[in-house]
Amino acid sequence: INQYISLKPKIAENISFEILKNNLLFNYIEFKSIVKEKVFENSRFDFYAIDINDNEHIIEIKTAPLAFYVDLPKKEYNKYSNYINQCNVNDKISYFPDGYRKNVNEPISPRALKHIQELEKIHIEKNIICTLLFVIPRTDVKWFQPSNIDPIYKKAVAKAWLNGVNIKVVQIKWNDIGEGYFYSNNLPIHLFE
């Protein structure tokens, strides 16, 4: 089975806009206005919306195209080779973030960390409904999680969720001519160990 995956964050933002307009996120109430790229605090967030009950929403999009059977640094894969070899092709874990950093005591993406911390602050201080939406541009995964490779970010996402920030995922299915379609909004999310 072929799995087509888009790696472009801007495409995920455009699809997310359509998902919001068509009320596909998570039984969200309808929006009467959606504005792209709105500045709050010290960050520019992907969407600012007002729903039909006049509640304000800030929605930040993160694209999570990567997935594997274990969520560990690549140098540790060999320890799990027996497990990995027994996995079904659809048993992957979708995760965010991943990347290189010089110091393992720093976040992989300082910008992503700043966004989740500011969403939490805005929700607490201004009572605005804040959502961190992970767009997963693939269907061969069994769940999503903030990556174990970045414990700083993982803890920040869990803390924000405990303080009222919505953490949501949507999956997009791609075809062989590059068309992406809404696939699911109910993939399990693992925030804690």
Side-chain angles (χ1 to χ4, degrees), residues 3-190:
Q3 182 72 223
Y4 300 98
I5 302 165
S6 170
L7 302 177
K8 297 185 178 183
K10 204 60 170 167
I11 291 174
E13 291 172 24
N14 292 338
I15 289 174
S16 297
F17 183 68
E18 294 301 318
I19 286 170
L20 293 171
K21 282 191 340 188
N22 291 293
N23 194 25
L24 298 172
L25 182 52
F26 57 119
N27 302 324
Y28 239 52
I29 56 176
E30 293 179 47
F31 294 113
K32 60 184 182 182
S33 70
I34 304 171
V35 176
K36 294 180 181 180
E37 298 188 351
K38 179 90 168 166
V39 174
F40 276 86
E41 298 292 325
N42 298 309
S43 292
R44 185 182 72 236
F45 294 101
D46 292 308
F47 300 105
Y48 169 75
I50 298 177
D51 66 33
I52 58 173
N53 295 318
D54 291 326
N55 295 309
E56 295 178 284
H57 296 256
I58 298 173
I59 301 145
E60 177 63 17
I61 309 300
K62 298 296 179 202
T63 307
L66 300 177
F68 198 61
Y69 301 101
V70 292
D71 179 16
L72 300 164
K74 290 171 184 59
K75 63 185 177 185
E76 295 183 34
Y77 285 1
N78 287 342
K79 296 177 189 176
Y80 294 88
S81 60
N82 286 341
Y83 169 76
I84 292 168
N85 291 333
Q86 295 174 8
C87 287
N88 178 292
V89 69
N90 294 321
D91 285 344
K92 296 179 193 82
I93 302 165
S94 173
Y95 58 88
F96 177 91
D98 188 22
Y100 174 77
R101 61 185 179 229
K102 289 182 181 179
N103 183 343
V104 296
N105 296 319
E106 294 178 3
I108 289 172
S109 172
R111 183 173 173 266
L113 179 63
K114 177 183 164 193
H115 281 156
I116 189 61
Q117 290 171 334
E118 288 192 352
L119 285 173
E120 179 183 11
K121 180 181 178 193
I122 291 166
H123 176 71
I124 291 169
E125 293 179 359
K126 300 184 189 240
N127 200 29
I128 295 175
I129 299 167
C130 294
T131 300
L132 178 59
L133 175 61
F134 293 96
V135 176
I136 302 168
R138 59 192 308 151
T139 60
D140 61 341
V141 296
K142 62 182 177 179
W143 74 68
F144 168 81
Q145 66 188 37
S147 182
N148 293 328
I149 299 167
D150 188 343
I152 297 167
Y153 185 75
K154 186 173 186 114
K155 287 177 187 171
V157 172
K159 180 177 176 282
W161 179 77
L162 289 170
N163 283 315
V165 174
N166 295 311
I167 310 297
K168 299 294 178 187
V169 298
V170 293
Q171 286 178 277
I172 306 302
K173 184 173 185 167
W174 294 88
N175 65 23
D176 61 349
I177 60 170
E179 296 169 328
Y181 299 93
F182 172 81
Y183 179 77
S184 167
N185 65 1
N186 60 0
L187 187 71
I189 303 170
H190 292 197

